[in-house]
Amino acid sequence: MGWYFRALSKRRIIEFVLLTVFAVFFAGPLLNLAVLAFSDQWRYPDMLPQHWSLRWWSFVLGQDDIAKSIGLSFLIATIVTALSIVLCIPAAYAFARIRFPLKKVFLFSFLLTHAFPKMGLYVSIAVLFYQVGLMNTLLGVVLIHMINVLMFMTWIPTAAFRNVQAAQEESARDVGASPFRVFRSITLPLAMPGILVASVFTFLNSLDEAQGTFLVGIPDFKTMPIVMYSIISDFPSSAGAVFSIILTAPTLILLLAAQRLVSAEVLSSGFQVK
Amino acid sequence: MRKEVKQAIVGLIMVSPAFLLLLFTVVIPIIQSFVTSLGNGSGGYDLSRYQNLFTDKGLRSNILFTIKVTLLSCVLVLLVSYSLALYMRFSSGKLVELIRKSYMIPLFIPGVIATYGLMNLLGNNGWLARLLLPVGITLPRIIFDEKGIIIANLWFNIPFATMLLSSALASIPASVIESARDIGASKLRIFFRFIFPLSYKTFLVAVTFVFMGVIGSFTAPFLLGANSPQMLGVSMQQVFSVFQEREQAAAMAVFSFLLCSFLGFFYIRSMAKEDQLND
C-alpha cells in the first residue's frame, strides 16, 4: 500500500482527504437515517445495529394518519405547482418581453418573500387569515406554500423567456404567424426547461413546507412534515428514520427524472436578475 | 405612442395576478407586523418594543447570538463554497464529475429530515461518536449547542452557495484565464484580477441569500439549538406563542427585516444596474 500513496502527489492526497470529509459531512446524516430505518436494536457503543428488522416499516405504514398525510401532501403540492404556474408564468413573460411602468419595482418586490423572517410573516398572515376565514382551509395552506416559491417561480421563467432569441420569434412573425402562435410554438417550447425546473422546485418546496402549514392548517391539514414533527417527539428514532425515507423518496425520484434539466445555471437564475 | 400605452397595460395585467398574491400574502402582513410592533400594549403607539430589544437582557443576548451565528455561518459557507466552485471549475476527472452531479442533492432534501439526520449523527452517543470511539476521539457537545446550528447552516447553505457561484464561474470565458496564464500571471493574481471581479456580483447574491436564510431560520435551531441563547426565529416563536406578546414578536421580525434590508439594498443596487431591464 505504501508505495501507492508515495506515488501519488501530495496535492492528490489532500484533495482526496478533503473530498472524503465533504462526502461524509453531506451523506453522513442521510446514511445514518438509512441504517436506523432498518435497525431493530442498536445499543451504544456498537457501530452497527445488533438486530436488523423491518418492524418499524410495518409500524409506520400501518399508521392511519401517515398514509393520509402522504396523499394530502401530494394533493397540496400539485395544487400549489399548478396555481403558481398559472399566476407566475404570465408575469415572467411580461418581465422578459413587455415594457411597462415600474417594471423593476414589481420585479424586485418578489425579494420580499425572502427578506422578512418567515416566522414573523406567518404570524401576521395568521391574523389576516383569521379575519377572512382562511384558517384551517385548503386554500389557506396552499397560499402559505406559495409564498416560498413566488420568487423563483417568477424569476427562473423570466430568465428562460429572456434567453429565447428575439430573432427567432421575429422570423416566425415575418412568415405570418399570429402572436399567440409564435408564443405557443416558438417561445414556450424554448423556455420550457426553465419552467419545468421551477415547477419541480416548487413541487418539492411544497412537500417540504412545515412552519406555515403548522400555523395555518392545524388541526385538519397534517402534511408529511407536520406528521414528521410529531413522530420525532413521540416515537423511537427508527420510526422517524423510516418516515424520513418515505418523505425523501419522492424528492429523489423527481430529481432523478429531472436530472438533465436541473443545472446550476437554470436554478441560479431564480435568485438573481441577469 | 398608442402602441406603447397598450403594451404597458398588457404588461401590468399580466403581472398583476402574481403581484396581488404577493400583496395579500407578503406586503400586507409585513405592513401589519410593522404597525403591530409599534403598539405598546396599552392602546398607544411608541418605540418601546424596539427599546426592549436592546434593554431586555434575554432578547439582547438572543440578538447578539443570532448575529454572531449568522456572520460566522456566512463566512464559513462562502469560504467553502467558493473553494469548491473554483475546484469544480478548474479541475477535471471522474471525481470532479461525481461531485458536479451530486453536490446539489442537499438543496432538495426536506429541512426536517436533514436536521433529524444531523441530530442522530452528531448527538451524544450518536453514530459519529460510536465510529470515533475505537480511535479514541471523544466529540465535544455539538447538538443543543451553537456548533450544531452552524453545522446545520453549513449543510443547507454550502450546496446552495456553490450552485450560485459555480454558475457564475462557468460564465467566465476560459480564454480570459488562459491568456492571463500565458502572460505569466500567478494563480492568486488571476483570482484577484479576473475571477473574483467577474463573479463578484453572484458572490453578493450568495451572501444576501445565505444571510437572509440563516437569520430567519427556524427548523434547525429549534431542533438543534440550546435553550438559551436562542436564534431570533426560535425566540420570536416563543415570545409569540409562549409569552403571548404579539407586539414584541412583531418588533423582532421587523428588526431582523431591517438587518436583511441592509444587504438587500446592495443586492438590488447591483442587480438594477443590469441594462437588460431597461429595454
Side-chain angles (χ1 to χ4, degrees):
Chain A
M1 275 305 263
W3 65 268
Y4 177 73
F5 282 108
R6 249 169 281 136
L8 290 168
S9 70
K10 213 182 201 168
R11 185 171 167 252
R12 279 270 165 218
I13 295 173
I14 295 174
E15 212 177 272
F16 183 76
V17 170
L18 279 178
L19 292 176
T20 312
V21 170
F22 232 74
V24 170
F25 181 71
F26 284 106
L30 304 177
L31 206 61
N32 191 2
L33 290 180
V35 175
L36 255 180
F38 296 99
S39 72
D40 190 18
Q41 199 177 45
W42 191 2
R43 273 193 304 263
Y44 186 77
D46 284 28
M47 280 188 209
L48 285 173
Q50 286 95 2
H51 299 288
W52 301 85
S53 89
L54 291 173
R55 187 155 72 98
W56 292 106
W57 284 88
S58 51
F59 171 77
V60 168
L61 293 173
Q63 298 271 323
D64 219 22
D65 54 338
I66 286 178
K68 249 197 281 176
S69 80
I70 296 175
L72 181 66
S73 271
F74 276 84
L75 174 72
I76 292 176
T78 311
I79 298 175
V80 167
T81 311
L83 212 57
S84 315
I85 290 175
V86 172
L87 292 184
C88 297
I89 300 301
Y93 184 80
F95 283 133
R97 283 283 188 266
I98 298 175
R99 284 178 87 168
F100 59 93
L102 296 178
K103 191 162 151 181
K104 273 187 192 175
V105 176
F106 282 118
L107 188 63
F108 284 116
S109 65
F110 289 93
L111 189 63
L112 283 175
T113 57
H114 279 65
F116 204 80
K118 286 283 143 61
M119 222 20 168
L121 202 58
Y122 293 155
V123 163
S124 292
I125 290 174
V127 175
L128 196 68
F129 278 14
Y130 262 122
Q131 289 163 357
V132 292
L134 278 173
M135 285 305 258
N136 198 18
T137 60
L138 184 65
L139 182 63
V141 175
V142 166
L143 288 178
I144 279 273
H145 283 209
M146 287 179 72
I147 295 172
N148 288 329
V149 301
L150 262 179
M151 186 183 77
F152 55 76
M153 198 64 207
T154 310
W155 287 6
I156 293 179
T158 300
F161 282 129
R162 270 206 191 118
N163 288 337
V164 177
Q165 301 285 326
Q168 267 173 302
E169 292 172 350
E170 274 156 24
S171 53
R173 290 290 285 279
D174 288 345
V175 294
S178 67
F180 181 71
R181 182 84 198 280
V182 173
F183 178 77
R184 220 195 52 201
S185 41
I186 309 272
T187 321
L188 193 61
L190 286 172
M192 210 34 139
I195 296 173
L196 279 176
V197 168
S199 310
V200 169
F201 212 38
T202 297
F203 193 86
L204 294 177
N205 213 290
S206 167
L207 282 185
D208 183 18
E209 213 289 326
Q211 284 177 62
T213 318
F214 189 73
L215 217 64
V216 170
I218 285 298
D220 288 350
F221 293 89
K222 288 192 181 141
T223 56
M224 284 156 70
I226 301 289
V227 173
M228 180 72 192
Y229 270 117
S230 61
I231 286 183
I232 289 180
S233 53
D234 298 346
F235 296 106
S237 45
S238 286
V242 169
F243 195 60
S244 299
I245 293 180
I246 298 176
L247 227 171
T248 319
T251 307
L252 293 180
I253 293 168
L254 250 177
L255 260 187
L256 216 63
Q259 197 189 14
R260 262 181 336 111
L261 299 172
V262 179
S263 70
E265 279 66 40
V266 177
L267 268 183
S268 64
S269 67
F271 299 90
Q272 55 194 327
V273 180
K274 268 189 176 162
Chain B
M1 181 64 204
R2 272 195 46 207
K3 203 190 156 203
E4 269 166 33
V5 175
K6 206 174 125 194
Q7 224 189 19
I9 293 171
V10 171
L12 287 172
I13 290 174
M14 286 175 89
V15 172
S16 55
F19 185 74
L20 283 178
L21 181 65
L22 186 79
L23 195 69
F24 180 64
T25 57
V26 180
V27 179
I28 293 176
I30 288 178
I31 296 171
Q32 204 173 32
S33 282
F34 182 65
V35 173
T36 309
S37 72
L38 294 174
N40 59 9
S42 48
Y45 289 95
D46 56 30
L47 287 174
S48 59
R49 301 295 172 175
Y50 290 92
Q51 229 164 18
N52 271 352
L53 292 179
F54 306 101
T55 50
D56 184 274
K57 232 176 133 194
L59 289 181
R60 194 176 55 197
S61 74
N62 286 347
I63 287 176
L64 289 175
F65 177 71
T66 306
I67 292 174
K68 181 182 143 199
V69 168
T70 307
L71 291 180
L72 210 60
S73 303
C74 282
V75 171
L76 289 174
V77 165
L78 285 153
L79 222 69
V80 176
S81 304
Y82 218 129
S83 323
L84 187 63
L86 282 171
Y87 173 73
M88 288 198 294
R89 172 71 173 81
F90 297 108
S91 303
S92 53
K94 266 190 186 155
L95 207 57
V96 183
E97 216 33 64
L98 190 72
I99 303 174
R100 265 190 210 128
K101 276 207 178 116
S102 58
Y103 80 94
M104 281 202 285
I105 293 176
L107 268 180
F108 299 94
I109 302 288
V112 201
I113 304 297
T115 313
Y116 190 56
L118 283 168
M119 274 170 84
N120 278 302
L121 181 69
L122 304 174
N124 278 344
N125 304 343
W127 204 21
L128 192 65
R130 296 172 198 220
L131 291 174
L132 291 176
L133 200 65
V135 202
I137 301 173
T138 18
L139 287 174
R141 186 187 185 81
I142 299 176
I143 300 303
F144 306 125
D145 184 84
E146 73 180 299
K147 286 191 227 52
I149 301 178
I150 292 176
I151 286 178
N153 288 337
L154 296 184
W155 205 92
F156 291 117
N157 289 294
I158 286 176
F160 172 71
T162 308
M163 180 265 290
L164 287 175
L165 290 167
S166 58
S167 85
L169 293 181
S171 62
I172 298 177
S175 59
V176 171
I177 290 147
E178 268 158 29
S179 51
R181 248 184 224 155
D182 285 346
I183 54 165
S186 69
K187 271 186 186 161
L188 258 155
R189 217 179 136 78
I190 295 179
F191 178 76
F192 284 110
R193 292 296 290 279
F194 298 103
I195 298 176
F196 188 72
L198 285 171
S199 55
Y200 161 75
K201 245 182 155 164
T202 310
F203 183 79
L204 189 63
V205 176
V207 173
T208 310
F209 279 98
V210 172
F211 184 91
M212 295 194 303
V214 171
I215 206 167
S217 61
F218 177 79
T219 304
F222 179 70
L223 293 172
L224 294 174
N227 281 329
S228 105
Q230 291 170 326
M231 290 289 283
L232 262 177
V234 181
S235 168
M236 208 183 297
Q237 192 259 350
Q238 212 167 54
V239 168
F240 180 78
S241 50
V242 181
F243 305 127
Q244 303 273 334
E245 292 183 41
R246 268 193 61 206
E247 295 88 358
Q248 192 61 63
M252 294 164 80
V254 173
F255 176 74
S256 109
F257 176 61
L258 289 178
L259 290 178
C260 291
S261 346
F262 179 71
L263 262 177
F265 169 76
F266 291 103
Y267 169 90
I268 290 179
R269 204 181 60 171
S270 122
M271 291 290 139
K273 275 187 200 150
E274 290 290 335
D275 42 3
Q276 267 211 342
L277 276 176
N278 295 324
D279 56 358

